[in-house]
C-alpha cells in the first residue's frame, strides 16, 4: 500500500467512526457512556487523515531529489495491512441490531446469578 492508501483508510475509518458516534448506531457496539470517547477517536482519526492528505499534497508539489539506485521501495508494507479496511467494511455491511431491553435485563440477571 502506498501513502495515499494509508491516508485514505484513516479518513474513511475516521469518518465512519464519527458518523456512528453521532447517530445512535454506536449503541449496537459500545455502551452509551463511551460516546464521547468514540467521537474523540473518530475526530482524531479524521484529523490525522486530513493532515496526511495535506502533507502528502505539499510533498508532491515540492521538488524531489533524483532517486538513486537504492531508493526505490520493495513493497515494504505487508499485505496484511489491508485488514485495516475490515472494520470499515463491517460497519457498512454487517450492522448488528441494538440491544433491546429484554436482552439487557437478561444479561444483567446472568451476571448477578454468576456473582452470587
Amino acid at each position: 500500500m502506498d501513502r495515499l492508501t494509508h491516508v485514505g483508510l484513516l479518513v474513511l475509518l475516521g469518518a465512519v467512526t464519527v458518523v456512528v458516534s453521532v447517530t445512535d448506531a454506536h449503541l449496537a457496539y459500545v455502551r452509551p457512556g463511551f460516546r464521547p470517547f468514540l467521537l474523540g477517536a473518530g475526530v482524531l482519526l479524521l484529523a490525522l487523515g486530513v493532515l496526511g492528505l495535506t502533507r502528502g499534497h505539499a510533498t508532491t508539489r515540492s521538488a524531489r531529489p533524483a532517486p538513486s539506485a537504492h531508493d526505490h521501495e520493495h513493497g515494504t508494507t505487508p499485505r496484511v495491512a489491508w485488514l485495516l479496511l475490515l472494520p470499515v467494511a463491517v460497519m457498512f455491511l454487517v450492522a448488528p441490531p441494538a440491544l433491546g431491553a429484554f436482552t439487557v435485563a437478561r444479561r444483567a440477571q446472568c451476571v448477578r446469578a454468576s456473582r452470587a
Side-chain angles (χ1 to χ4, degrees), residues 14-96:
V16 168
T17 306
V18 168
V19 168
V20 166
S21 62
V22 168
T23 62
D24 286 338
H26 73 284
L27 295 175
Y29 303 102
V30 295
R31 293 180 182 223
F34 289 121
R35 180 183 229 167
F37 300 113
L38 190 62
L39 184 61
V43 167
L44 181 67
L45 285 171
L46 198 57
L48 286 173
V50 169
L51 180 68
L53 278 175
T54 57
R55 289 186 70 204
H57 186 62
T59 304
T60 56
R61 283 187 173 183
S62 65
R64 294 182 182 167
S68 67
H70 298 288
D71 283 345
H72 62 280
E73 294 183 22
H74 291 284
T76 57
T77 305
R79 290 185 181 162
V80 75
W82 282 100
L83 289 177
L84 288 172
L85 193 57
L86 190 60
V88 175
V90 168
M91 292 288 214
F92 281 126
L93 300 175
V94 184

Side-chain angles (χ1 to χ4, degrees), residues 96-112:
L99 294 177
F102 174 75
T103 307
V104 172
R106 194 174 87 201
R107 286 188 182 176
Q109 289 174 356
C110 291
V111 169
R112 278 190 234 129

